[in-house]
Amino acid sequence: MDATFTAEQDEIRRTLRELLLKRSGPEEVRTAVQTEGGYDSGLWETLAQQLGLPGLAFPEAYGGVGCSVTELALASEELGRSLAPSPLLATAVLSAPLLLALGSEGQRAALLPRIASGELTAALAVSGASLTTALGLTGDNRGDWAGGGRAGGVQARRTDGGWRLYGQADQVLDGHSADLLVVAAHAGGFARSRTLLFLVRDSLVQESLVQESLVRDSLGGGGSGRAGATRVRLTSLDGTRSQARIQLRDVEAELLGDDESADVTGALAAVGDSAAAVLAAEAVGAADRVLERTVEYVKQREQFGRAIGSFQAVKHRLADLYVQVQAARSAAYYAAWATAVGEERVGGLALAQALEALRITSSEAVQLHGGIGFTWEHEAHLYFKRAAGDELLFGPVHRLREHAADAARLFGGGEVAV
């Protein structure tokens, strides 16, 4: 592994940091999450059209830049520093790799260039709170997580004209605003049970971009019998990470790819490993920024006639945080590099270490900022919510580590996998 960055990688980081410092400060972030889409569409247009961020890891044949997961992780680290809300994670990290891995040539040619240009956004929809299981990060994704029979989830039924979907998916990242839904559904009944991926275009989705509390009656009332799809933006702990509930009622869908026997769970696990590396880098960026802001603050705040940063106890706490953030950064960088060269099962451990570092650093930041750190006006709570929200969505940390240990057979009493 070459631990140094190339000139191109350094340029990606520098350009993004300069742009986000100008256009994605704490006030801009608060304004963006209150918009209908949950992000600054102007900033997204700049990221997509001028910097090529959505297509950074796409082949050039599909309008991409031709870089790897490593460059995408470095870009996400800068986005994590500012907590800039954007469809990048849902579109370029979770959905587009599945299109690239499983889609037919026609589907790739029609959709990937539009995603690379920022014209099209996408979201991955899985049943319930099964995202990390579907991605193979906290459990075996070859089970019944997609639903089936009385298990709920999303069901797929073949008809003369194609496929129809019925069911519900929760906690769909950016699902309320995505132009394209990639839906994991159970098909085949009990005898030939299998999980397939389907595409649901925006023209088939009846949008409902109001808060969950305002639409509970309509979801459970007479309107729920209407054919079609309904998307509801949910009130989430971390407003910078928009989530939606998607209800599908006899919705027309297109099979992703042209082979029903494709290894869907294997593709999802591969995407999960790369997504974990990207998320780890993003969490490291957030942890590094909140630590940086805390160090700046303790140098200014005075107690007993001197800056509190001069107290030995505070120095020790900050030193411990620095070590933890740097260790998480090393793990995230290695995971991004390893994923890019084809090494498997490293993303989950890096994500666990990064999420833990962000949680501890953001908690300490609130404490070291004193009374002001607990207020809504201060940016410290934004990082604390990102830490808590990400661990709820992609963790918890102990489950990530437990699954990685099980996959490596560390405690199974058998031969240890190399």
Side-chain angles (χ1 to χ4, degrees), residues 148-221:
R150 295 183 178 180
V154 181
Q155 316 296 320
R157 178 172 57 89
R158 181 187 284 279
T159 64
D160 293 338
W163 291 87
R164 314 290 291 191
L165 302 183
Y166 183 91
Q168 178 172 301
D170 296 312
Q171 296 181 327
V172 180
L173 295 175
D174 289 309
H176 67 291
S177 60
D179 303 309
L180 176 72
L181 299 178
V182 181
V183 183
H186 176 271
F190 181 79
R192 298 181 61 247
S193 174
R194 62 196 187 280
T195 298
L196 299 175
L197 292 177
F198 297 88
L199 303 178
V200 178
R201 314 283 178 135
D202 58 343
S203 59
L204 300 174
V205 178
Q206 172 197 342
E207 297 191 29
S208 179
L209 301 180
V210 290
Q211 299 298 323
E212 179 187 18
S213 59
L214 301 179
V215 295
R216 286 175 179 165
D217 293 339
S218 65
L219 289 177

